[in-house]
Amino acid sequence: MSKYNRTKLLPYGLRFIQGVVRGNTKFEIKGASFGVTQVTDNDVISAGKLPNIVGSIPIVAIDDDSLASQGVLGIELSFTQKSTGINHDVTLWDVQINGQQERDNQEHPIAYTIAQQPETLTLSDPSFEFRLMVYVQVGDTDKVTINVNQDGMESRAEHARDFNRLVSSIAEGYIEVDLKDHNGNQVYDSNHKIVRVKRAVVNTDKSLSILNRAADAKKVGEVLGAIDSQLRALDQLLHTNYATLLDLNDVKNSILANADANKDQDNKIAVLQNRASELEANRQTIHLLGHDWNGLSGHTSDSFNATRQFIVNDVTLTNSNGFANAKATGDAIKQNYQQLSQAIGIIFAWLDNLGNQQIIIDLKNRLSALENSKKENK
């Protein structure tokens, strides 16, 4: 695993920083250089720069937050086959940071770092990337700018960050882009910051009528909501009407079932009514049967019928197992009543005749005399 020493200032770097601290200058960090031979601090200090520079690389990122409050700038370099332009395997022993003071047209070495355990770039792995973060003490970070190459390779952390941001943007359906005017120029706000806007990732079809165009989610939701509302209303309507119809059919089927069940009862009731009529008439028509229990019929094939009584009347009033004939009973009662009335009349006539005899008259007179003598004694 590679390891590099802390960054140290070179004479030009110290001069730049002193000017920043005094407040009378600003400078820009422009890029970096690298060497492939092992050197010491004395070798670099005596030369005022790396003595074995073999190539230059751009700055791909800065760390604005970690130590900026302490006046330290983090400068990230990306070493790849593309950024270094190597055509053979190299070992990265030392790195130099270059800067340019304002109103000066020339770059100067301002800081360096030497490897304790260097990193090796090899042609056998073209995709290999080595990232090195170099921290430079500048005093006032507001007066130092860093020239970052926008075409630089992303680090794995940056790639993961950008990838996650892209995934989140796709999930949300929008991605942030720089706002530009009709001439293609970048638009800035009042604080000179880039204005960014959200743009839909997918250009959706809100009319739901364009072939091969993605449907607009909101429009689809509205359509489905309307369909759902209509289906609910239809379901309610069907539930109400169809349930009522089913109820009516159930009632109708129950009536038919009861009618089928009562049909036999009606037949039985009709038979009972006929029996009641026969009982009231004390007559029943029967078919005459022969000794073989077959019906008897005449030469015209008409069956022989007969009438029988349910109740056999005893007109003589002498049959202990027969019912008394109503007319015979009435005649007997009437005859007995007449005989009794005649006997009662004879008794009354005899009693009246008894009252006219002389003995009864004498008894009445004697009783009257006794009553009169009692009155006189009083």
Side-chain angles (χ1 to χ4, degrees), residues 95-169:
V95 176
Q96 172 182 289
I97 303 300
N98 304 318
Q100 179 177 322
Q101 198 170 19
E102 63 178 353
R103 295 183 297 274
D104 189 354
N105 295 325
Q106 185 177 359
E107 290 186 20
H108 300 282
I110 60 175
Y112 72 98
T113 180
I114 298 175
Q116 296 180 14
Q117 299 176 13
E119 184 66 53
T120 299
L121 291 178
T122 175
L123 292 177
S124 62
D125 185 5
S127 63
F128 177 77
E129 178 189 20
F130 166 63
R131 289 271 177 150
L132 177 63
M133 181 67 75
V134 180
Y135 289 94
V136 180
Q137 180 78 41
V138 297
D140 187 355
T141 57
D142 290 338
K143 293 185 179 181
V144 181
T145 58
I146 299 178
N147 182 20
V148 178
N149 181 10
Q150 298 295 335
D151 297 329
M153 298 290 291
E154 280 190 320
S155 66
R156 290 182 176 87
E158 288 176 330
H159 178 73
R161 179 198 62 201
D162 295 340
F163 181 78
N164 291 335
R165 182 184 300 168
L166 179 61
V167 170
S168 299
S169 298

Side-chain angles (χ1 to χ4, degrees), residues 204-208 214-230:
T204 58
D205 172 24
K206 294 184 178 180
S207 66
L208 305 182
D216 181 75
K218 184 174 183 296
K219 186 63 177 179
V220 172
E222 291 175 351
V223 172
L224 291 178
I227 294 175
D228 179 70
S229 177
Q230 293 174 359

Side-chain angles (χ1 to χ4, degrees), residues 38-332:
Q38 188 174 8
V39 295
T40 65
D41 287 335
N42 291 332
D43 296 334
V44 178
I45 294 298
S46 61
K49 62 179 183 179
L50 290 182
N52 56 348
I53 293 176
V54 295
S56 300
I57 53 175
I59 299 171
V60 295
I62 59 175
D63 185 359
D64 291 327
D65 301 325
S66 61
L67 298 173
S69 61
Q70 303 175 30
V72 178
L73 292 176
I75 304 165
E76 188 173 20
L77 308 174
S78 173
F79 293 87
T80 64
Q81 286 189 21
K82 181 179 179 181
S83 64
T84 58
I86 64 171
N87 53 16
H88 60 278
D89 294 351
V90 296
T91 300
L92 302 173
W93 273 103
D94 39 51
V95 176
Q96 172 182 289
I97 303 300
N98 304 318
Q100 179 177 322
Q101 198 170 19
E102 63 178 353
R103 295 183 297 274
D104 189 354
N105 295 325
Q106 185 177 359
E107 290 186 20
H108 300 282
I110 60 175
Y112 72 98
T113 180
I114 298 175
Q116 296 180 14
Q117 299 176 13
E119 184 66 53
T120 299
L121 291 178
T122 175
L123 292 177
S124 62
D125 185 5
S127 63
F128 177 77
E129 178 189 20
F130 166 63
R131 289 271 177 150
L132 177 63
M133 181 67 75
V134 180
Y135 289 94
V136 180
Q137 180 78 41
V138 297
D140 187 355
T141 57
D142 290 338
K143 293 185 179 181
V144 181
T145 58
I146 299 178
N147 182 20
V148 178
N149 181 10
Q150 298 295 335
D151 297 329
M153 298 290 291
E154 280 190 320
S155 66
R156 290 182 176 87
E158 288 176 330
H159 178 73
R161 179 198 62 201
D162 295 340
F163 181 78
N164 291 335
R165 182 184 300 168
L166 179 61
V167 170
S168 299
S169 298
I170 294 175
E172 294 175 359
Y174 297 92
I175 189 171
E176 284 191 352
V177 296
D178 295 344
L179 181 64
K180 297 183 179 181
D181 59 20
H182 63 281
N183 293 323
N185 299 321
Q186 179 65 55
V187 178
Y188 297 87
D189 61 12
S190 58
N191 295 321
H192 301 289
K193 292 183 178 181
I194 294 175
V195 177
R196 300 179 65 83
V197 295
K198 287 185 176 182
R199 185 180 67 186
V201 176
V202 179
N203 185 15
T204 58
D205 172 24
K206 294 184 178 180
S207 66
L208 305 182
S209 60
I210 302 177
L211 185 64
N212 298 326
R213 176 72 67 81
D216 181 75
K218 184 174 183 296
K219 186 63 177 179
V220 172
E222 291 175 351
V223 172
L224 291 178
I227 294 175
D228 179 70
S229 177
Q230 293 174 359
L231 287 177
R232 288 178 182 275
L234 180 60
D235 176 72
Q236 183 67 27
L237 182 63
L238 290 176
H239 178 76
T240 301
N241 294 344
Y242 190 60
T244 303
L245 180 60
L246 286 180
D247 292 340
L248 291 177
N249 286 334
D250 289 342
V251 173
K252 179 180 178 181
N253 293 334
S254 298
I255 293 174
L256 294 176
N258 290 332
D260 291 338
N262 292 333
K263 184 176 181 181
D264 186 56
Q265 296 178 1
D266 292 340
N267 293 332
K268 292 180 179 179
I269 291 174
V271 173
L272 292 175
Q273 288 176 342
N274 292 333
R275 292 294 184 268
S277 298
E278 292 174 346
L279 289 173
E280 289 177 353
N282 196 21
R283 292 289 188 273
Q284 182 183 29
T285 301
I286 59 174
H287 300 286
L288 297 179
L289 302 177
H291 65 277
D292 58 355
W293 297 99
N294 292 321
L296 299 177
S297 60
H299 67 279
T300 59
S301 298
D302 293 332
S303 60
F304 289 116
N305 297 328
T307 302
R308 72 172 179 178
Q309 290 181 328
F310 288 103
I311 301 174
V312 179
N313 295 323
D314 178 18
V315 297
T316 64
L317 302 181
T318 58
N319 188 357
S320 61
N321 292 321
F323 290 93
N325 182 272
K327 184 177 185 303
T329 302
D331 290 343

